[in-house]
């Protein structure tokens, strides 16, 4: 059963943060200046089989999570939408189809290999109108202030070097009244289920990575990055600190993932 929650910033607690000047890269702390390059290498490696791996690792449930996210976004015709770290187009295509008339979706990703996969998929699906592709860093987006009505990021925030800076820049590019949505792996709310899930992800992600993508190490990083991402309440508090109001989140699959949302007022 999904659950919705409102933020209580007084209850936030930091968890798994790297020391100053360093950033988490899986279970390792690396110099902050090096993380973006390391993440680019991971996603350049996994890009060709990224969507197949998502299906295998989640049993296809990632499609339901993404559909639920777009249901909540509920884009309206003519709105300017930004999907960050969405190079393969999975969220952008859903937004485009849901928007219907006057679609306007910009996909921004730091990794050219992921964007190349997304462009090819768009052509294959006949999605040629209303899509813009941009190479850019979530921490320093290449867009003017107050440009978009809604910002989405799915399974990408945990890969940025400075989460707080990415949140601040998300707030910057949104218009007043703009909405922010983050779909990300989170803290499982059931201890027994959490133990099973951790054991599965620790073993299955590198195994599938080795067999399907021929890259076990990249998928070991992805497992470790999930484990170090801030839990629901802490992320909500950090969103408020970045300038968002009316922050809340919705747990899905017992907190395996959470959909956070907030407004720029």
């Amino acid at each position: 059963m999904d659950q919705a929650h409102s933020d209580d910033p007084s209850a936030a607690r930091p968890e798994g943060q790297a020391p100053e000047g360093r950033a988490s890269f899986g279970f390792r702390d690396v110099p902050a200046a090096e993380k973006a390059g390391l993440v680019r290498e991971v996603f350049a490696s996994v890009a060709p089989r990224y969507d197949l791996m998502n299906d295998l690792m989640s049993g296809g449930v990632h499609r339901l999570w993404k559909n639920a996210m777009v249901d909540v976004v509920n884009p309206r015709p003519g709105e300017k939408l930004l999907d960050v770290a969405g190079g393969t187009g999975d969220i952008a295509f859903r937004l485009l189809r849901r928007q219907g008339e006057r679609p306007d979706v910009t996909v921004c990703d730091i990794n050219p290999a992921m964007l190349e996969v997304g462009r090819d998929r768009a052509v294959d699906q006949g999605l040629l109108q209303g899509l813009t592709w941009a190479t850019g860093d979530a921490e320093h987006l290449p867009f003017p202030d107050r440009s978009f009505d809604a910002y989405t990021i799915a399974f990408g925030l945990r890969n940025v070097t400075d989460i707080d800076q990415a949140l601040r820049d998300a707030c910057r590019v949104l218009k007043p009244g703009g909405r922010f949505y983050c779909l990300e792996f989170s803290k499982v709310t059931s201890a027994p289920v959490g133990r099973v899930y951790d054991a599965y992800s620790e073993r299955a992600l590198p195994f599938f990575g080795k067999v399907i993508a021929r890259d076990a190490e990249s998928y070991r990083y992805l497992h470790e990055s999930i484990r170090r991402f801030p839990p629901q309440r802490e992320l909500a508090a950090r969103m408020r600190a970045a300038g968002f109001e009316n922050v809340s989140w919705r747990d899905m699959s017992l907190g395996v993932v959470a959909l956070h949302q907030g407004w720029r007022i």
Side-chain angles (χ1 to χ4, degrees), residues 145-150 171-179 263-265:
D145 296 358
R146 305 184 177 194
S147 296
F148 297 96
D149 297 289
C171 195
R172 177 186 67 79
V173 301
L174 282 170
K175 300 175 183 178
R179 299 107 63 201
W263 295 69
R264 176 179 178 174
I265 304 300

PDB file of all heavy atoms in Angstrom, residues 145-150 171-179 263-265:
ATOM      1  N   ASP A 145      16.501  31.435 -15.139  1.00  0.00           N
ATOM      2  CA  ASP A 145      15.608  31.393 -13.982  1.00  0.00           C
ATOM      3  C   ASP A 145      14.139  31.373 -14.447  1.00  0.00           C
ATOM      4  O   ASP A 145      13.794  31.944 -15.489  1.00  0.00           O
ATOM      5  CB  ASP A 145      15.806  32.639 -13.111  1.00  0.00           C
ATOM      6  CG  ASP A 145      17.204  32.722 -12.511  1.00  0.00           C
ATOM      7  OD1 ASP A 145      18.005  31.787 -12.735  1.00  0.00           O
ATOM      8  OD2 ASP A 145      17.488  33.721 -11.826  1.00  0.00           O
ATOM      9  N   ARG A 146      13.296  30.710 -13.653  1.00  0.00           N
ATOM     10  CA  ARG A 146      11.843  30.742 -13.846  1.00  0.00           C
ATOM     11  C   ARG A 146      11.438  30.340 -15.265  1.00  0.00           C
ATOM     12  O   ARG A 146      10.616  30.999 -15.909  1.00  0.00           O
ATOM     13  CB  ARG A 146      11.303  32.138 -13.507  1.00  0.00           C
ATOM     14  CG  ARG A 146      11.690  32.584 -12.099  1.00  0.00           C
ATOM     15  CD  ARG A 146      11.074  33.902 -11.727  1.00  0.00           C
ATOM     16  NE  ARG A 146      11.405  34.271 -10.355  1.00  0.00           N
ATOM     17  CZ  ARG A 146      10.815  35.231  -9.660  1.00  0.00           C
ATOM     18  NH1 ARG A 146       9.837  35.944 -10.226  1.00  0.00           N
ATOM     19  NH2 ARG A 146      11.166  35.494  -8.421  1.00  0.00           N
ATOM     20  N   SER A 147      11.971  29.212 -15.737  1.00  0.00           N
ATOM     21  CA  SER A 147      11.716  28.780 -17.109  1.00  0.00           C
ATOM     22  C   SER A 147      10.637  27.712 -17.238  1.00  0.00           C
ATOM     23  O   SER A 147      10.029  27.584 -18.300  1.00  0.00           O
ATOM     24  CB  SER A 147      13.007  28.221 -17.732  1.00  0.00           C
ATOM     25  OG  SER A 147      14.001  29.199 -17.835  1.00  0.00           O
ATOM     26  N   PHE A 148      10.388  26.927 -16.173  1.00  0.00           N
ATOM     27  CA  PHE A 148       9.569  25.725 -16.317  1.00  0.00           C
ATOM     28  C   PHE A 148       8.421  25.693 -15.311  1.00  0.00           C
ATOM     29  O   PHE A 148       8.524  26.214 -14.206  1.00  0.00           O
ATOM     30  CB  PHE A 148      10.432  24.475 -16.152  1.00  0.00           C
ATOM     31  CG  PHE A 148      11.502  24.337 -17.196  1.00  0.00           C
ATOM     32  CD1 PHE A 148      12.798  24.772 -16.948  1.00  0.00           C
ATOM     33  CD2 PHE A 148      11.205  23.793 -18.443  1.00  0.00           C
ATOM     34  CE1 PHE A 148      13.780  24.669 -17.930  1.00  0.00           C
ATOM     35  CE2 PHE A 148      12.179  23.678 -19.421  1.00  0.00           C
ATOM     36  CZ  PHE A 148      13.469  24.117 -19.165  1.00  0.00           C
ATOM     37  N   ASP A 149       7.348  25.013 -15.737  1.00  0.00           N
ATOM     38  CA  ASP A 149       6.188  24.821 -14.872  1.00  0.00           C
ATOM     39  C   ASP A 149       6.332  23.599 -13.972  1.00  0.00           C
ATOM     40  O   ASP A 149       5.719  23.547 -12.896  1.00  0.00           O
ATOM     41  CB  ASP A 149       4.921  24.664 -15.720  1.00  0.00           C
ATOM     42  CG  ASP A 149       4.613  25.915 -16.526  1.00  0.00           C
ATOM     43  OD1 ASP A 149       4.215  26.921 -15.915  1.00  0.00           O
ATOM     44  OD2 ASP A 149       4.783  25.883 -17.760  1.00  0.00           O
ATOM     45  N   ALA A 150       7.100  22.614 -14.414  1.00  0.00           N
ATOM     46  CA  ALA A 150       7.304  21.415 -13.606  1.00  0.00           C
ATOM     47  C   ALA A 150       8.672  20.821 -13.915  1.00  0.00           C
ATOM     48  O   ALA A 150       9.163  20.906 -15.049  1.00  0.00           O
ATOM     49  CB  ALA A 150       6.204  20.384 -13.857  1.00  0.00           C
ATOM     50  N   CYS A 171      14.879  24.590  -7.925  1.00  0.00           N
ATOM     51  CA  CYS A 171      13.995  25.673  -7.493  1.00  0.00           C
ATOM     52  C   CYS A 171      14.210  26.920  -8.354  1.00  0.00           C
ATOM     53  O   CYS A 171      13.248  27.602  -8.731  1.00  0.00           O
ATOM     54  CB  CYS A 171      14.260  25.971  -6.019  1.00  0.00           C
ATOM     55  SG  CYS A 171      12.985  26.971  -5.213  1.00  0.00           S
ATOM     56  N   ARG A 172      15.451  27.184  -8.709  1.00  0.00           N
ATOM     57  CA  ARG A 172      15.774  28.369  -9.520  1.00  0.00           C
ATOM     58  C   ARG A 172      15.082  28.356 -10.872  1.00  0.00           C
ATOM     59  O   ARG A 172      14.554  29.379 -11.328  1.00  0.00           O
ATOM     60  CB  ARG A 172      17.295  28.451  -9.727  1.00  0.00           C
ATOM     61  CG  ARG A 172      17.743  29.603 -10.618  1.00  0.00           C
ATOM     62  CD  ARG A 172      19.235  29.558 -10.917  1.00  0.00           C
ATOM     63  NE  ARG A 172      19.608  28.418 -11.755  1.00  0.00           N
ATOM     64  CZ  ARG A 172      19.446  28.367 -13.074  1.00  0.00           C
ATOM     65  NH1 ARG A 172      18.905  29.385 -13.732  1.00  0.00           N
ATOM     66  NH2 ARG A 172      19.844  27.303 -13.763  1.00  0.00           N
ATOM     67  N   VAL A 173      15.075  27.203 -11.557  1.00  0.00           N
ATOM     68  CA  VAL A 173      14.559  27.168 -12.932  1.00  0.00           C
ATOM     69  C   VAL A 173      13.031  27.033 -12.985  1.00  0.00           C
ATOM     70  O   VAL A 173      12.449  27.122 -14.065  1.00  0.00           O
ATOM     71  CB  VAL A 173      15.210  26.045 -13.765  1.00  0.00           C
ATOM     72  CG1 VAL A 173      16.718  26.240 -13.830  1.00  0.00           C
ATOM     73  CG2 VAL A 173      14.851  24.662 -13.235  1.00  0.00           C
ATOM     74  N   LEU A 174      12.392  26.824 -11.838  1.00  0.00           N
ATOM     75  CA  LEU A 174      10.935  26.729 -11.818  1.00  0.00           C
ATOM     76  C   LEU A 174      10.294  28.115 -11.721  1.00  0.00           C
ATOM     77  O   LEU A 174      10.795  29.001 -11.025  1.00  0.00           O
ATOM     78  CB  LEU A 174      10.467  25.875 -10.638  1.00  0.00           C
ATOM     79  CG  LEU A 174      10.604  24.358 -10.815  1.00  0.00           C
ATOM     80  CD1 LEU A 174      10.328  23.644  -9.492  1.00  0.00           C
ATOM     81  CD2 LEU A 174       9.674  23.840 -11.906  1.00  0.00           C
ATOM     82  N   LYS A 175       9.179  28.269 -12.406  1.00  0.00           N
ATOM     83  CA  LYS A 175       8.390  29.495 -12.275  1.00  0.00           C
ATOM     84  C   LYS A 175       7.732  29.523 -10.896  1.00  0.00           C
ATOM     85  O   LYS A 175       7.543  28.476 -10.275  1.00  0.00           O
ATOM     86  CB  LYS A 175       7.299  29.523 -13.347  1.00  0.00           C
ATOM     87  CG  LYS A 175       7.801  29.482 -14.773  1.00  0.00           C
ATOM     88  CD  LYS A 175       6.623  29.388 -15.741  1.00  0.00           C
ATOM     89  CE  LYS A 175       7.092  29.278 -17.184  1.00  0.00           C
ATOM     90  NZ  LYS A 175       5.954  29.141 -18.133  1.00  0.00           N
ATOM     91  N   PRO A 176       7.354  30.688 -10.405  1.00  0.00           N
ATOM     92  CA  PRO A 176       6.526  30.717  -9.190  1.00  0.00           C
ATOM     93  C   PRO A 176       5.261  29.874  -9.400  1.00  0.00           C
ATOM     94  O   PRO A 176       4.591  29.997 -10.424  1.00  0.00           O
ATOM     95  CB  PRO A 176       6.191  32.204  -9.041  1.00  0.00           C
ATOM     96  CG  PRO A 176       7.339  32.910  -9.715  1.00  0.00           C
ATOM     97  CD  PRO A 176       7.725  32.035 -10.881  1.00  0.00           C
ATOM     98  N   GLY A 177       4.983  29.006  -8.461  1.00  0.00           N
ATOM     99  CA  GLY A 177       3.895  28.053  -8.626  1.00  0.00           C
ATOM    100  C   GLY A 177       4.327  26.770  -9.309  1.00  0.00           C
ATOM    101  O   GLY A 177       3.522  25.858  -9.491  1.00  0.00           O
ATOM    102  N   GLY A 178       5.615  26.685  -9.683  1.00  0.00           N
ATOM    103  CA  GLY A 178       6.129  25.487 -10.340  1.00  0.00           C
ATOM    104  C   GLY A 178       6.258  24.328  -9.368  1.00  0.00           C
ATOM    105  O   GLY A 178       6.430  24.519  -8.165  1.00  0.00           O
ATOM    106  N   ARG A 179       6.183  23.103  -9.920  1.00  0.00           N
ATOM    107  CA  ARG A 179       6.190  21.888  -9.093  1.00  0.00           C
ATOM    108  C   ARG A 179       7.448  21.067  -9.343  1.00  0.00           C
ATOM    109  O   ARG A 179       7.903  20.942 -10.476  1.00  0.00           O
ATOM    110  CB  ARG A 179       4.965  21.027  -9.411  1.00  0.00           C
ATOM    111  CG  ARG A 179       3.631  21.687  -9.159  1.00  0.00           C
ATOM    112  CD  ARG A 179       2.935  22.067 -10.454  1.00  0.00           C
ATOM    113  NE  ARG A 179       2.616  20.914 -11.291  1.00  0.00           N
ATOM    114  CZ  ARG A 179       2.394  20.987 -12.610  1.00  0.00           C
ATOM    115  NH1 ARG A 179       2.487  22.162 -13.239  1.00  0.00           N
ATOM    116  NH2 ARG A 179       2.079  19.902 -13.297  1.00  0.00           N
ATOM    117  N   TRP A 263       6.685  22.652  -3.997  1.00  0.00           N
ATOM    118  CA  TRP A 263       6.286  23.775  -4.843  1.00  0.00           C
ATOM    119  C   TRP A 263       7.244  24.936  -4.653  1.00  0.00           C
ATOM    120  O   TRP A 263       7.696  25.214  -3.542  1.00  0.00           O
ATOM    121  CB  TRP A 263       4.885  24.250  -4.480  1.00  0.00           C
ATOM    122  CG  TRP A 263       3.798  23.230  -4.752  1.00  0.00           C
ATOM    123  CD1 TRP A 263       3.578  22.060  -4.102  1.00  0.00           C
ATOM    124  CD2 TRP A 263       2.808  23.309  -5.768  1.00  0.00           C
ATOM    125  NE1 TRP A 263       2.508  21.395  -4.623  1.00  0.00           N
ATOM    126  CE2 TRP A 263       2.007  22.143  -5.663  1.00  0.00           C
ATOM    127  CE3 TRP A 263       2.481  24.247  -6.762  1.00  0.00           C
ATOM    128  CZ2 TRP A 263       0.927  21.887  -6.493  1.00  0.00           C
ATOM    129  CZ3 TRP A 263       1.409  24.006  -7.591  1.00  0.00           C
ATOM    130  CH2 TRP A 263       0.640  22.838  -7.449  1.00  0.00           C
ATOM    131  N   ARG A 264       7.536  25.624  -5.761  1.00  0.00           N
ATOM    132  CA  ARG A 264       8.180  26.926  -5.643  1.00  0.00           C
ATOM    133  C   ARG A 264       7.087  27.982  -5.550  1.00  0.00           C
ATOM    134  O   ARG A 264       6.295  28.152  -6.491  1.00  0.00           O
ATOM    135  CB  ARG A 264       9.069  27.239  -6.854  1.00  0.00           C
ATOM    136  CG  ARG A 264       9.634  28.647  -6.722  1.00  0.00           C
ATOM    137  CD  ARG A 264      10.549  29.072  -7.829  1.00  0.00           C
ATOM    138  NE  ARG A 264      10.966  30.435  -7.574  1.00  0.00           N
ATOM    139  CZ  ARG A 264      11.870  31.089  -8.303  1.00  0.00           C
ATOM    140  NH1 ARG A 264      12.441  30.491  -9.329  1.00  0.00           N
ATOM    141  NH2 ARG A 264      12.198  32.324  -8.001  1.00  0.00           N
ATOM    142  N   ILE A 265       7.009  28.637  -4.419  1.00  0.00           N
ATOM    143  CA  ILE A 265       5.964  29.629  -4.188  1.00  0.00           C
ATOM    144  C   ILE A 265       6.431  31.004  -4.649  1.00  0.00           C
ATOM    145  O   ILE A 265       7.564  31.391  -4.392  1.00  0.00           O
ATOM    146  CB  ILE A 265       5.579  29.688  -2.696  1.00  0.00           C
ATOM    147  CG1 ILE A 265       5.159  28.292  -2.232  1.00  0.00           C
ATOM    148  CG2 ILE A 265       4.477  30.697  -2.480  1.00  0.00           C
ATOM    149  CD1 ILE A 265       3.961  27.715  -2.973  1.00  0.00           C
TER     150      ILE A 265
END
